[in-house]
Amino acid sequence: MSLYPNVKFLTSAAEAHQLAPDTGREVAFAGRSNSGKSTAVNALTQRSGLARVSRTPGRTQLINFFELADDRRVVDLPGYGFAKVPERVRLHWLQLMEHYFNVRESLVGLVLIVDSRRGLGAQDAAMLEWVLARDRLAHVLLTKADKLNRRDGQRVLRETLAACSDTAVTAQLFSAHAKQGIDDARQVLWGWLQG
Ligand SMILES: Nc1nc2c(ncn2[C@@H]2O[C@H](COP(=O)(O)OP(=O)(O)OP(=O)(O)O)[C@@H](O)[C@H]2O)c(=O)[nH]1
Ligand SMILES: [Mg+2]
């Protein structure tokens, strides 16, 4: 049984003025397009159809807010790093993200979603720097771990932890499909939200 059985979609924002009210506590999910953000949100909240999952990278261009309980939210941020996105869309994403991270007082932490087969990239590292500079927490989910064998999974985890070694960033392997690491990730998430 989930700690938050009444999770529901709250609102979507395409523009800065459309953000959900900035009260209580909120955790954001960010990562490259197609890294598995929406799938992770669904797995962690145990609601398979909540955040839309797509095979087409860059599908989620909105900030989607989900309410877990009164004043407790998770946020599915639009993915980055998709080469085919036009420049004006990329700039809009940048401005929207900058605004979100600058103003969002209810934001307690960032769950950074990284495809375990790719590992931490430059944009992921920039994202981490962004939230750490704003004194927020960060946890990396190395997703699609079912696509790696045990040895490669452990190597990617080691490399990720090493890259973050002088920060408070934590990391773990995760697979929504193989149900790997879901309880560990929930513990981090619920802990942040309860604070
Ligand atoms: N094998 C495997 N595939 C996964 C896993 N998680 C997600 N995927 C697949 O990866 C693809 C992208 O998943 P999404 O959850 O839509 O990724 P996203 O980061 O939300 O993508 P955008 O919103 O487009 O940026 C889908 O085809 C998923 O089925 C996993 O744990 N294992
Ligand atoms: Mg998505």
Side-chain angles (χ1 to χ4, degrees), residues 12-15 18 52 59-64 76-78 96:
S12 289
E15 307 288 341
Q18 295 168 332
R52 205 184 327 150
R59 193 74 172 289
T60 316
Q61 286 299 340
L62 301 167
I63 299 182
N64 290 308
D76 189 8
L77 296 173
L96 188 59

Side-chain angles (χ1 to χ4, degrees), residues 30-42 51-61 76-80 82 113 115 117 142-147 174-179:
R32 282 183 72 96
S33 289
N34 208 41
S35 57
K37 290 178 297 300
S38 300
T39 304
V41 168
N42 288 341
R52 205 184 327 150
V53 173
S54 83
R55 279 172 202 283
T56 319
R59 193 74 172 289
T60 316
Q61 286 299 340
D76 189 8
L77 296 173
Y80 46 82
F82 183 48
I113 306 295
D115 188 326
R117 296 167 299 179
L142 296 163
T143 58
K144 311 189 190 182
D146 54 286
K147 297 274 191 188
F174 185 87
S175 166
H177 288 193
K179 304 214 183 316

Side-chain angles (χ1 to χ4, degrees), residues 2-46:
S2 169
L3 184 58
Y4 297 111
N6 298 319
V7 53
K8 57 175 195 251
F9 172 76
L10 193 60
T11 188
S12 289
E15 307 288 341
H17 67 89
Q18 295 168 332
L19 300 181
D22 194 5
T23 57
R25 298 173 83 86
E26 175 171 298
V27 173
F29 285 63
R32 282 183 72 96
S33 289
N34 208 41
S35 57
K37 290 178 297 300
S38 300
T39 304
V41 168
N42 288 341
L44 293 170
T45 57
Q46 281 176 304

Side-chain angles (χ1 to χ4, degrees), residues 160-174:
T160 305
L161 289 169
C164 301
S165 61
D166 51 355
T167 70
V169 176
T170 49
Q172 64 165 101
L173 290 164
F174 185 87

Side-chain angles (χ1 to χ4, degrees), residues 51-152:
R52 205 184 327 150
V53 173
S54 83
R55 279 172 202 283
T56 319
R59 193 74 172 289
T60 316
Q61 286 299 340
L62 301 167
I63 299 182
N64 290 308
F65 293 85
F66 304 97
E67 192 176 70
L68 274 60
D70 269 356
D71 265 349
R72 297 291 181 270
R73 291 174 303 277
V74 294
V75 184
D76 189 8
L77 296 173
Y80 46 82
F82 183 48
K84 283 187 201 149
V85 163
E87 183 62 7
R88 91 187 138 68
V89 175
R90 202 186 63 78
L91 280 177
H92 181 259
W93 176 90
L94 195 65
Q95 282 167 1
L96 188 59
M97 287 303 100
E98 209 159 30
H99 175 79
Y100 173 83
F101 284 111
N102 281 339
V103 302
R104 207 67 184 161
E105 287 180 9
S106 57
L107 179 71
V108 282
L110 180 80
V111 178
L112 185 71
I113 306 295
V114 175
D115 188 326
S116 58
R117 296 167 299 179
R118 301 185 74 111
L120 205 66
Q123 281 170 299
D124 301 317
M127 202 78 189
L128 284 177
E129 275 179 34
W130 231 4
V131 293
L132 294 174
R134 288 165 177 78
D135 289 327
R136 300 313 203 277
L137 301 160
H139 184 63
V140 181
L141 293 187
L142 296 163
T143 58
K144 311 189 190 182
D146 54 286
K147 297 274 191 188
L148 295 181
N149 64 33
R150 204 184 138 71
R151 198 162 144 245
D152 288 341

